[in-house]
Amino acid sequence: MSMSMATSLGSRVQLAGVFGTRRPQPVLQRGPGLQVQAAQRLMGKVVSIASNKTAVVAVESWSIHPVYKKRIRTTKRYPAHDEADQARVGDVVELAPSRPLSARKRFIVDKILNRED
């Protein structure tokens, strides 16, 4: 391996470690040698309640364009399980992760934070 190739590989590895990381989640201690990492919680707006016991929640996230340095808004829709069918369109809710409940549902509606009147 040539010297220039080794330095270019080293810089790629270093850059991948800097830009490919996420914020660390809190870690809970459960006895000796057992750690449980907190799961991802999302907050978004209910956009559809057409299905029974399911609310579709739109979650917005912002990122910076790598070249133009402008903010980009990305919206992703998550189907979430709502056992009591309490969520209404326009409500701001908090989603908690759960086991797979169907082919697409991986979250449950945990709390209704702001009720749309």
Side-chain angles (χ1 to χ4, degrees):
M1 181 182 291
S2 70
M3 185 62 164
S4 63
M5 186 181 290
T7 56
S8 67
L9 287 177
S11 63
R12 274 194 230 149
V13 172
Q14 182 184 6
L15 289 178
V18 172
F19 295 111
T21 58
R22 299 179 78 183
R23 282 190 313 216
Q25 296 289 332
V27 176
L28 305 173
Q29 295 291 338
R30 303 257 185 197
L34 182 62
Q35 293 182 352
V36 179
Q37 191 162 357
Q40 181 181 17
R41 298 179 76 82
L42 302 172
M43 188 175 67
K45 191 177 222 179
V46 177
V47 292
S48 173
I49 54 168
S51 301
N52 190 22
K53 295 187 179 180
T54 302
V56 179
V57 180
V59 177
E60 280 187 0
S61 62
W62 293 85
S63 62
I64 304 292
H65 192 279
V67 175
Y68 300 115
K69 309 298 184 205
K70 293 284 190 172
R71 291 176 60 189
I72 301 171
R73 180 178 63 191
T74 305
T75 304
K76 186 164 182 186
R77 293 164 50 111
Y78 293 96
H81 185 68
D82 184 17
E83 182 65 36
D85 264 341
Q86 293 180 344
R88 298 287 169 244
V89 175
D91 291 351
V92 177
V93 297
E94 184 174 323
L95 302 180
S98 73
R99 63 179 176 83
L101 298 170
S102 71
R104 296 182 58 224
K105 284 202 285 191
R106 302 290 189 267
F107 289 93
I108 59 171
V109 175
D110 191 30
K111 292 186 242 179
I112 297 175
L113 302 174
N114 191 5
R115 187 63 88 165
E116 181 70 25
D117 293 324

